[in-house]
Structure formats: C-alpha cells, structure tokens
C-alpha cells in the first residue's frame, strides 16, 4: 500500500474464540470500512489469544508504530477478560476502580447486583478517558493513542461512534474500481504494472475472485489526489477496453 | 488460551484490500476451523499491507515462534503480488522460475499465452516444495515451516487440502459449549473464574453476543483431555442451572 494517508492505525483483536474458529470475526472489516471513510489509514491487524504477555507485547509493538491502535475484546466481567489489565501493564500505569465507570454501570445495573465481577468492568487504567456505549453502558476507554473497545460487534460499533469525533483524521482516500470484465489478470498484468510504477503515490491493486467456475477481476486505484486517481483510473479503463477487443485465451 | 496443543500455527494475511475494507476476509475463519479440526493450535493472526519489508518482518517474526506459518494472498501475476519475493527474502534464499511450476501452469494456460506476467507465478524460492491447486493450477509452496497460499478463498481452500496430509498434528481439542440461557455474565463470572483457576490445563471462555436487544452468552471449555473437559463442562452446566433458579436482575 502506498503511504497514502497521514493518520495511520492498527487493530488488535483479543480473542481465543476467533483463533479457535468458534467465532467468525466481524469487527475487522467493519473497522476497516469505518476508518477508510473518516480518513484513517488502517495498516496492520493482529489477532492474539487471551494471554496477558501476548496482549502487552502486541499493544506496545503497535501503539508505537501507528497514530492509533484500536483493540477489540476482553473487557467484560469474566476471568478471561484481561484486556484492561494488559493495557495498563503495557503503559506501565496502575489500574483501579473508576468512579465515572461505576456511575455508568449503575445506569443499567441495580446497586445490589453490582457484584465483584461486574465492578471489574469499572477497572480502568490511570489516566484513561472513558468511551461510553449506549447499549450495555459498560465503557471502553482511551489511554494515549490506544482505544480499547468491546468485542461484541453492536457494542464495539457504538464505542467507535463515541470515539470517532475525537480522532485526528487525514485526507480521505479517493477510490475508483474498474471491472476487468472477461480479462484474466495475466492479460493486463504487465501494462498495469507499468502504470503502477509510473504512479508511486497511488495504490493500485488487482483483486481476483473466483465464482461459477471462473475468475472475476477488479482493479482498484486509491490515492489522496482525486484528479490523479480519476486520470489513472481512466487510463486503466482504456487499457481494459483495448485488451477486451484482443483475443484473450489465457486462463489465469 | 491455555497451551493446549503441541503443534501451533500463525496465519499471515497479505492484502491491502482487507486493510482498506474493500474485501472482507473469509480465509481466517476458514483456516481457524480447519486447523482446529486436524489438531493444529492457531495462536496468532496478522494482516499486513502489500509491502515487502512488512511481509518479510512478519514472516520472520511468526515462522520462528510457531510450528507453522500459513500465508494467504499476493501470489498472482500482477505487480502487487510480491509474497514469493518477500518469503524468499525472509529466508535469505534466491528465487527463480521453477520448471515444475511452469509445467503446472501449462496444464491450464496455452504456451503462447504464458507471458512474462504469468511466468511470475512460477517464481518459487529455492528449496521450496510446490502446493498444487486443482482450480487455477498456479501453485502455492512450502519452504521450511512456511506455507504460502493464494488469497482467493476457493483456491486457498484447495491448497489447504493439498498440504494438510503432510502437516504434523497434535491432539485434537475436545470442545464443549454450554448455553448460559437467561444468565448474564456478571451472574456467573465469579464462580466460573474459580472453576477456570482450578483447571489451568483447560481453556475456558465466556462469549457474549448481543441480538434482539439482549445478551446471549455461551461458555466454552476446551482441552486435550476429553474426560476432564466433560467433567468440567458438567460442573459448569450445574452452575448455570443453579443460578438460573436464583433471581438474576443484573444486566451485563
């Protein structure tokens, strides 16, 4: 990917249930779409197990490389919810019960039901800002450039909405997609590679899919300069049109 | 996750199209399911951009930590397909046109259509074994413990079928799932945590989902010792049953 955006991000998914295959992740694609729309360039994703050392290492590797790190998962009340502890450890700060978080929990939980396990959801690393969610009330938080969210998609999405207004954003990427029709990638690869080499400030990709026994390819042009994206997409459309008139017997 | 399996793996997804949100990854969940079924413990996933330095760094970080590393994406004929080059660089070996791969390509491509771009799909790092695929014929490969596969799901799946018989596998994990019915996580978190602490050789997780305005929780017990998994799952079922008879007014 060309370094097209100035504000970058990584996502860290914390969850044994994804690695075991039990749960199919729905958050990565949602966050990728969301960040692209607001002008944040998602550049790396990791999925790690519910193990403190793994989470600490990944948080520290990613928060130092990108403008933002978004985490999902591991902030509920059960024993396998260790994200807040791990993030506090990654930052080397203490973690304690946060009266603001207790207040939010009490909007949904009766005082007599606020047991020890539920109080754990109010343990927030020192110096973090809370991220409210309208669904379960149990908050996420932001510490430094790390944004800690729930794993349940509906709640994660509410937290993303809550935190988005406070994010720095860069230029939104302009994107054009060209359907390659009946062409195979091998038919246009050389010419497309030359166009890509001549436009290093753009990200140009060729994406095959396979259904009904044949390939369906699309070429995507992305960049910050809308007029350049349009011009290069136009040139690729002409290329595809021209090659479409030639004999295409290749199969891949 | 408790270190439950003796054969471990990571997955590295190479693809701008996933990070940009354009394509929703379908391979991670498929591979996670597949590896669980054959007794390989998936422990980490990364998604990186189509950038050589990023791929090299991730390949070297992951291949040294796990029994196997599976990569998806970036082995087609276009300029953005740089996975084979990057893997060769990660291993410090040369890459050259492989006559065995050319032969496979010619099963589908006419000799006059085997242009320079398509020949790139036959560039294989020195010392690698090919992984055939029945769909497009363009092979993946295995070098050392790194298994390089296509990104198109149907082709990746064919490659996984081709390589699976030669993988070492560990014990298959036994898995039991207990529906928590009307209970909230906060209702059983303390008792479940005590059961988990007493059984460190098992992986016990509590997984909430949210639909129709309320939580639906499941508890999952995984481990290699089937009778222990069954016994602990039985204890958790009793716990859920008992708590279900008590008043549960908590909301999270």
């Amino acid at each position: 990917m060309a370094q097209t955006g100035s504000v970058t991000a990584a996502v860290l998914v914390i969850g044994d249930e994804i690695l075991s295959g039990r749960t199919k992740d729905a958050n990565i694609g949602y966050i990728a779409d969301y960040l692209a729309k607001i002008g944040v360039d998602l550049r790396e994703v990791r999925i790690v197990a519910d193990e403190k050392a793994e989470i600490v290492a990944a948080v520290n590797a990613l928060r130092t490389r990108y403008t933002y790190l978004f985490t999902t998962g591991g902030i509920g009340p059960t024993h396998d919810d260790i994200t807040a502890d791990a993030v506090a450890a990654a930052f080397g700060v203490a973690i304690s019960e946060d009266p603001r978080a207790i207040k939010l929990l009490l909007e949904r939980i009766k005082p007599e039901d606020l047991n020890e396990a539920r109080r754990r959801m109010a343990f927030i690393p020192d110096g973090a800002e809370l991220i409210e969610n309208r669904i379960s009330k149990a908050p996420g938080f932001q510490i430094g450039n790390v944004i800690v969210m729930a794993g349940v998609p509906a709640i994660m999405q509410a937290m993303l909405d809550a935190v988005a207004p406070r994010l720095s954003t860069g230029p939104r990427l302009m994107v054009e997609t060209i359907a390659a029709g009946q062409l195979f990638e091998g038919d246009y690869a050389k010419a497309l590679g030359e166009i890509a080499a001549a436009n290093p400030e753009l990200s140009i990709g060729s994406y095959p899919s396979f259904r009904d026994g044949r390939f369906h390819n699309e070429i995507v042009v992305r960049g910050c300069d809308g007029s350049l994206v349009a011009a290069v997409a136009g040139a690729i459309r002409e290329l595809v049109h021209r090659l479409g008139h030639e004999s295409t017997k290749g199969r891949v």
Side-chain angles (χ1 to χ4, degrees), chain A residues 14 64-65 95 97 115 143 168 192 209 218 225-226 230 232 239:
Chain A
I14 295 151
T64 52
R65 279 200 77 186
I95 181 166
E97 192 173 286
N115 58 22
I143 177 167
S168 301
L192 185 69
S209 59
E218 289 185 322
D225 179 343
V232 169
L239 168 71

Side-chain angles (χ1 to χ4, degrees), chain A residues 171-176 202-203 220-227 229-230:
Chain A
R172 254 195 70 183
L173 290 191
M174 301 296 115
V175 184
E176 290 221 27
L202 299 181
S203 163
V220 175
V221 182
R222 284 196 306 267
C224 295
D225 179 343
S227 57
V229 168

Side-chain angles (χ1 to χ4, degrees), chain A residues 193-216:
Chain A
E194 289 164 0
I195 292 172
N199 294 281
E201 65 277 53
L202 299 181
S203 163
I204 301 178
S206 173
Y207 304 120
S209 59
F210 189 86
R211 52 182 194 276
D212 306 327
R214 62 176 300 275
F215 284 98
H216 303 257

Side-chain angles (χ1 to χ4, degrees), chain A residues 11-249:
Chain A
V11 167
L12 176 62
V13 175
I14 295 151
D16 284 7
E17 71 275 26
I18 308 294
L19 293 172
S20 73
R22 179 190 176 278
T23 301
K24 299 299 173 281
D25 172 78
N27 290 333
I28 295 170
Y30 184 92
I31 297 172
D33 273 337
Y34 198 104
L35 295 182
K37 277 181 192 137
I38 64 173
V40 175
D41 194 10
L42 177 60
R43 300 185 62 75
E44 183 169 351
V45 175
R46 296 191 190 182
I47 308 175
V48 298
D50 301 341
E51 287 181 9
K52 189 170 176 182
E54 298 293 319
I55 301 169
V56 170
V59 165
N60 280 332
L62 297 171
R63 74 184 174 96
T64 52
R65 279 200 77 186
Y66 303 104
T67 315
Y68 294 111
L69 168 61
F70 297 83
T71 78
T72 68
I75 62 167
T78 54
H79 66 280
D80 51 340
D81 291 307
I82 59 173
T83 299
D85 284 338
V87 170
F91 278 85
V93 302
I95 181 166
S96 56
E97 192 173 286
D98 187 315
R100 301 167 303 174
I102 291 286
K103 194 172 162 216
L104 288 170
L105 290 177
L106 287 172
E107 291 181 17
R108 191 177 160 100
I109 299 169
K110 294 184 181 175
E112 64 268 31
D113 290 325
L114 193 60
N115 58 22
E116 187 187 351
R118 291 192 172 95
R119 295 187 91 96
R120 283 193 66 224
M121 293 192 289
F123 271 68
I124 304 289
D126 287 3
E129 287 304 309
L130 301 189
I131 300 172
E132 301 196 14
N133 94 79
R134 59 184 177 268
I135 296 179
S136 75
K137 296 295 180 183
F141 60 86
Q142 176 172 358
I143 177 167
N145 63 336
V146 179
I147 291 146
V148 174
M149 306 187 293
V152 175
I155 298 175
M156 185 284 293
Q157 292 166 20
M159 290 179 176
L160 205 49
D161 286 342
V163 79
R166 50 172 117 148
L167 299 178
S168 301
T169 56
R172 254 195 70 183
L173 290 191
M174 301 296 115
V175 184
E176 290 221 27
T177 300
I178 301 106
Q182 299 299 306
L183 292 177
F184 295 98
E185 282 193 304
D187 294 327
Y188 59 73
K190 185 162 182 278
L192 185 69
E194 289 164 0
I195 292 172
N199 294 281
E201 65 277 53
L202 299 181
S203 163
I204 301 178
S206 173
Y207 304 120
S209 59
F210 189 86
R211 52 182 194 276
D212 306 327
R214 62 176 300 275
F215 284 98
H216 303 257
N217 301 320
E218 289 185 322
I219 299 163
V220 175
V221 182
R222 284 196 306 267
C224 295
D225 179 343
S227 57
L228 181 63
V229 168
V232 169
I236 294 171
R237 270 195 199 88
E238 277 176 33
L239 168 71
V240 166
H241 186 71
R242 176 166 55 78
L243 292 175
H245 280 284
E246 298 175 8
S247 168
T248 56
K249 303 183 192 76

